Amino acid sequence: MHALILGAAGMIGRRLTKALVASGTVGDHPLDALTLIDVVQPDAPAGCAGTVRTEAADLTAPGAADTAIAGRPGIVFHLAAVVSGEAEANLELGYRVNLDGTRLLLDAIRRAHAADGYRPKVVFTSSLAVFGPPLPPVIGDDWIVTPASSYGTQKAMGELLLADYSRRGFLDGISLRLPTICVRPGKPNKAVSGFFSGIIREPLAGRPAILPVPDTVRHWFASPSAATGFLLHAAGLDFGRLGLRRSLTLPGVSATVAEEIEALRKVGGDKAVALIRRDPDDAVARIIETWPEAFATDRARALGFTADASFDAIVAEHVAEFQAGA
Amino acid sequence: MHALILGAAGMIGRRLTKALVASGTVGDHPLDALTLIDVVQPDAPAGCAGTVRTEAADLTAPGAADTAIAGRPGIVFHLAAVVSGEAEANLELGYRVNLDGTRLLLDAIRRAHAADGYRPKVVFTSSLAVFGPPLPPVIGDDWIVTPASSYGTQKAMGELLLADYSRRGFLDGISLRLPTICVRPGKPNKAVSGFFSGIIREPLAGRPAILPVPDTVRHWFASPSAATGFLLHAAGLDFGRLGLRRSLTLPGVSATVAEEIEALRKVGGDKAVALIRRDPDDAVARIIETWPEAFATDRARALGFTADASFDAIVAEHVAEFQAGA
C-alpha cells in the first residue's frame, strides 16, 4: 500500500514515518510506497523497503492537492496544520491552511473518485480544541462540540466535511482528536499548553521551567508514542464500524499538574522539582480553565485505541528517549 | 435600524418582511430601512415607513456580499439556502450556496469590521438536520452534532463559523435551528419532509395526500408564524447571554403522524382524513428514521423563545390563513 503523509516534517509526522518504515507495513498491507509532503522538505527515511518520495509543497496552492494524490495513495495521513496560537493570531492563515487546505484535499479526492473510483482511507488529526466551556468534569462521546478558538473551529469544520464525504462514499475517513502530547520533545515553544511538557522536560535536562497555572489544573495527555500508535491503529481499522460518526476522542491520561510534578520527582528527585518556578499568569490560567480535564472514551476503546498506562509511564518514555538521544 | 434579509423571497423571508413592516420595529428599534435580497427579485412590501430596497443577487458572486452590506445594516437575517434535497442531489451547488455563501457573507462583515468597526447582529437559520443517528428520544442542548446529510453538514459548518466570528467580535451572531415548518403553505414539493404538511394541507383543500410512513413516526414542528416569531424574538435578544454557544435548538411541538391525523379530523372530519392515502415508501421511512423526534430546549426557553401550544393550534393557524386567503 502507498501511504501519503501530509505534514510529514512535524513531530508526529516524523515519528509516524519512522514507525511505518520500521514495521514495513501499513494496516494489514506491506508498505510499498511512501510520499512525504510538508511546507518544508521532509527528511527521507533510511531503510524503507518501498519507494520514497519527499516534497516541499503548500497544499493550498492551486493544483497542489491533486498533485499530492496523483499516485493514488491507499491511505492519506492528513496532519498538516497551523497550530492553535498561530491560528488565533492570524485568522486568515488559520482558515486558509486548516480549513481550505483540508477542503482542497478532500475535494481533490472527490474529483479523483468521480474520475476513476479512487477511495482512499483518510486519517485526519483533530484536537481536543473542538470542545469548549461549559464542560463537565468527564466528557462523554455524545458531548456537543463548541470550540473556544479559531483552531478548534477549523478542526471541527474539517471533521464535518470528512464525515460528509465519507458518508457519500468519496473517501473512507476518520478524525482522531488527539490528547495533548506530553512530554513534547525539543525546545520550549509559545503554545499555551507548552508548560505541561516544559515542567517535565526542562528540569530533567537540568534547566529551569516556568509553571503559570495552579497545581490543581487537570488535563488530558498522551505520549508521542501513544499518538503515533493511534495513527497506526487507525490505519488497520475498518472505518465501517464508525457509522456516521467519523470523529473519535482518543483515550488519554487525565493528570493534574501536581500529579505531573510527583511523576517528575520519582525520576528526577527534589532537585528536578526545585527547577520548577511558579509564576502565575492569569491570562494563561483563564485559557486553560476552558480546556477539558478528562474524557470517557468508550467508543475509541471499543475500537481498540489504547492510552498510556499512567503519567509515570509517559515520563518514563520521555526519560528513555532522552537518554537514547543523549 | 436597517434590516437586511437574505433569502427574502422564500416562505419565511416573505413572512418576516411582512411582520417587520407591520410592527415598524426590529428588536427595540424603529425599522428605518429594509433591504431585501434573493436570487429572484423579492416583492417590495407595501406600507413600510422606512426606505425599502429589493435586489436580485447571487451572494456567491464576487463582491455580492460586500454590496449586500454596503448600507451597513444593523441586523442581517441570513435565510438564503439551497434546500436539503437539492444539496444532496447537487453536492457542489449545496457547498457553494450553503457553505461558501455563508462564509462570503461573514467574511465581508469581518472586512467591514476591520475597516470601520461595523459589527451587526446576524441571525442565521440553521436546521434540525445538524443532528443524526443514533439519537435519544429527547435530545438535550448538550447533544453532539452529527449530520446525516450534506445540507446538515453545511448548516453545522456555518454555525461553527458564525460562533467563531462572534467570539472574535467581528459580528454578534445566533444560529437558530428551526423545527420542521408545518403546515407549510403552497404546492406539494419534493422535500422528503413534505408529507408532514401535505397530509393536513391537501385534505383541508379537498385534495388527496400521500402518507409514505407509518402513523407512529414522531417529529418536531413549528408553525410558519412560530418560525417568524423566533426570528423577531432573536432580533430583540441580547446575544451576550449565549456565551460561546451561539447555536440554539428551538422549541417545537413533538407530534406523531397519528396525532397529526387526529388534529386534522377535529377540523376536517372523517371526510378529510379519508383523503389520506397510505402508500408506504421504505426509502422515505429509512430517511425519516434518522430524524429527531423531540428536544428538551431548555436554553431557548430560558431565552424567551416559545413554541406553538399544540399540534391542534398549528392546524388552527393554517385553517385561519387558508380561510383568509380563500
Side-chain angles (χ1 to χ4, degrees), chain B:
Chain B
M1 182 181 266
H2 176 182
L4 166 64
I5 304 178
L6 301 168
M11 193 262 286
I12 299 291
R14 281 179 284 118
R15 285 177 178 259
L16 175 62
T17 299
K18 202 171 156 185
L20 287 173
V21 168
S23 79
T25 60
V26 53
D28 300 328
H29 306 274
L31 177 71
D32 43 44
L34 185 58
T35 301
L36 307 175
I37 302 181
D38 208 318
V39 285
V40 296
Q41 182 93 22
D43 293 332
C48 185
T51 322
V52 176
R53 192 171 70 84
T54 67
E55 193 190 331
D58 174 358
L59 265 185
T60 65
D66 301 283
T67 304
I69 61 156
R72 298 292 185 263
I75 187 163
V76 179
F77 295 95
H78 176 34
L79 322 176
V82 160
V83 300
S84 176
E86 204 168 0
E88 199 65 19
N90 189 337
L91 180 118
E92 294 191 358
L93 178 71
Y95 275 94
R96 185 169 65 79
V97 174
N98 295 348
L99 176 57
D100 295 331
T102 299
R103 190 170 173 201
L104 286 163
L105 170 67
L106 302 190
D107 275 337
I109 294 172
R110 175 172 63 82
R111 284 190 302 272
H113 175 79
D116 58 22
Y118 178 53
R119 184 170 173 269
K121 290 184 90 161
V122 178
V123 180
F124 173 56
T125 46
S126 185
S127 166
L128 304 187
V130 302
F131 295 104
L135 288 169
V138 179
I139 303 165
D141 285 324
D142 298 328
W143 190 259
I144 192 172
V145 159
T146 53
S149 67
S150 291
Y151 176 78
T153 301
Q154 292 145 13
K155 288 292 186 186
M157 291 175 84
E159 287 187 3
L160 284 162
L161 192 66
L162 181 109
D164 194 40
Y165 280 22
S166 294
R167 184 185 63 81
R168 296 186 73 132
F170 308 145
L171 51 85
D172 192 22
I174 192 170
S175 296
L176 301 178
R177 296 174 185 148
L178 298 178
T180 291
I181 306 299
C182 189
V183 181
R184 187 175 274 277
K187 294 185 180 155
N189 65 20
K190 287 181 179 170
V192 175
S193 61
F195 71 86
F196 287 123
S197 287
I199 60 170
I200 305 294
R201 184 189 61 235
E202 298 303 307
L204 286 176
R207 294 186 298 260
I210 287 172
L211 174 59
V213 303
D215 288 29
T216 50
V217 164
R218 177 177 285 285
H219 195 50
W220 190 244
F221 301 106
S223 67
S225 72
T228 310
F230 293 145
L231 298 173
L232 295 173
H233 182 69
L237 194 68
D238 172 8
F239 295 173
R241 295 170 66 189
L242 296 166
L244 284 175
R245 293 192 179 187
R246 294 291 177 138
S247 305
L248 273 188
T249 305
L250 293 176
V253 172
S254 178
T256 62
V257 166
E259 287 162 3
E260 284 199 72
I261 292 171
E262 288 320 302
L264 171 66
R265 195 186 310 275
K266 283 183 199 162
V267 295
D270 292 343
K271 196 180 105 194
V273 172
L275 286 165
I276 298 174
R277 185 161 65 79
R278 284 178 172 73
D279 185 10
D281 183 327
D282 286 352
V284 171
R286 270 195 303 273
I287 294 172
I288 303 286
E289 254 175 31
T290 71
W291 290 8
E293 296 187 337
F295 294 87
T297 56
D298 299 356
R299 289 185 72 220
R301 289 182 192 274
L303 291 165
F305 290 91
T306 50
D308 300 282
S310 63
F311 202 86
D312 287 350
I314 287 177
V315 173
E317 172 182 318
H318 174 73
V319 170
E321 291 199 357
F322 182 73
Q323 287 168 343

Side-chain angles (χ1 to χ4, degrees), chain A residues 5-18 36 79 231:
Chain A
I5 305 178
L6 301 168
M11 193 263 286
I12 300 290
R14 281 180 283 120
R15 284 177 179 258
L16 175 62
T17 300
K18 202 172 155 184
L36 306 176
L79 322 176
L231 298 173

Side-chain angles (χ1 to χ4, degrees), chain A residues 12 77-82 98 102 122-131 145 147 150-160 162 174-181 184 220 227 230-231 246-250, chain B residues 160:
Chain A
I12 300 290
F77 295 97
H78 177 33
L79 322 176
V82 160
N98 295 348
T102 299
V122 177
V123 180
F124 173 54
T125 47
S126 185
S127 165
L128 303 186
V130 301
F131 295 104
V145 159
S150 291
Y151 177 78
T153 301
Q154 293 146 10
K155 287 292 186 185
M157 293 175 83
E159 287 187 3
L160 284 162
L162 181 109
I174 191 169
S175 296
L176 300 178
R177 296 174 185 148
L178 298 178
T180 291
I181 307 299
R184 187 174 273 278
W220 190 243
F230 294 144
L231 298 173
R246 293 292 177 139
S247 305
L248 274 187
T249 305
L250 293 176
Chain B
L160 284 162

Side-chain angles (χ1 to χ4, degrees), chain A:
Chain A
M1 181 179 268
H2 176 183
L4 166 63
I5 305 178
L6 301 168
M11 193 263 286
I12 300 290
R14 281 180 283 120
R15 284 177 179 258
L16 175 62
T17 300
K18 202 172 155 184
L20 288 173
V21 168
S23 79
T25 59
V26 53
D28 301 329
H29 306 274
L31 177 72
D32 45 44
L34 185 58
T35 301
L36 306 176
I37 301 182
D38 208 318
V39 284
V40 296
Q41 181 94 22
D43 293 333
C48 184
T51 321
V52 176
R53 190 171 71 85
T54 67
E55 193 189 332
D58 174 358
L59 265 184
T60 65
D66 301 282
T67 305
I69 60 156
R72 297 292 185 263
I75 187 162
V76 179
F77 295 97
H78 177 33
L79 322 176
V82 160
V83 300
S84 176
E86 204 169 0
E88 199 64 20
N90 188 336
L91 180 118
E92 295 192 356
L93 178 70
Y95 275 94
R96 186 168 64 80
V97 173
N98 295 348
L99 176 58
D100 295 331
T102 299
R103 190 171 174 199
L104 286 164
L105 170 67
L106 302 189
D107 274 338
I109 293 171
R110 175 172 63 82
R111 285 191 301 272
H113 175 80
D116 58 23
Y118 178 53
R119 185 169 173 267
K121 289 184 88 159
V122 177
V123 180
F124 173 54
T125 47
S126 185
S127 165
L128 303 186
V130 301
F131 295 104
L135 288 170
V138 178
I139 303 165
D141 284 323
D142 298 328
W143 190 259
I144 192 173
V145 159
T146 53
S149 66
S150 291
Y151 177 78
T153 301
Q154 293 146 10
K155 287 292 186 185
M157 293 175 83
E159 287 187 3
L160 284 162
L161 192 66
L162 181 109
D164 193 41
Y165 279 22
S166 294
R167 184 185 64 82
R168 295 186 75 131
F170 308 145
L171 51 86
D172 191 21
I174 191 169
S175 296
L176 300 178
R177 296 174 185 148
L178 298 178
T180 291
I181 307 299
C182 189
V183 180
R184 187 174 273 278
K187 294 185 180 152
N189 65 18
K190 286 179 184 173
V192 174
S193 60
F195 70 86
F196 286 123
S197 287
I199 60 169
I200 306 293
R201 184 189 60 235
E202 298 303 308
L204 286 176
R207 293 187 297 262
I210 286 172
L211 175 60
V213 302
D215 288 31
T216 49
V217 164
R218 177 177 286 284
H219 195 49
W220 190 243
F221 301 106
S223 66
S225 72
T228 311
F230 294 144
L231 298 173
L232 295 173
H233 182 68
L237 194 68
D238 172 8
F239 295 172
R241 295 170 67 190
L242 296 166
L244 283 175
R245 294 194 180 185
R246 293 292 177 139
S247 305
L248 274 187
T249 305
L250 293 176
V253 172
S254 178
T256 61
V257 166
E259 287 162 2
E260 283 199 73
I261 292 172
E262 289 318 302
L264 171 66
R265 195 187 309 274
K266 283 183 198 162
V267 295
D270 292 341
K271 197 181 105 194
V273 172
L275 286 164
I276 298 174
R277 186 161 66 81
R278 283 176 173 75
D279 185 9
D281 183 327
D282 285 351
V284 172
R286 271 196 302 274
I287 294 171
I288 302 286
E289 254 175 29
T290 70
W291 290 8
E293 297 187 336
F295 293 88
T297 55
D298 299 356
R299 289 186 72 222
R301 289 182 190 275
L303 291 165
F305 290 90
T306 50
D308 301 281
S310 64
F311 203 87
D312 288 351
I314 287 177
V315 173
E317 173 183 317
H318 174 73
V319 169
E321 290 198 359
F322 182 74
Q323 287 169 343

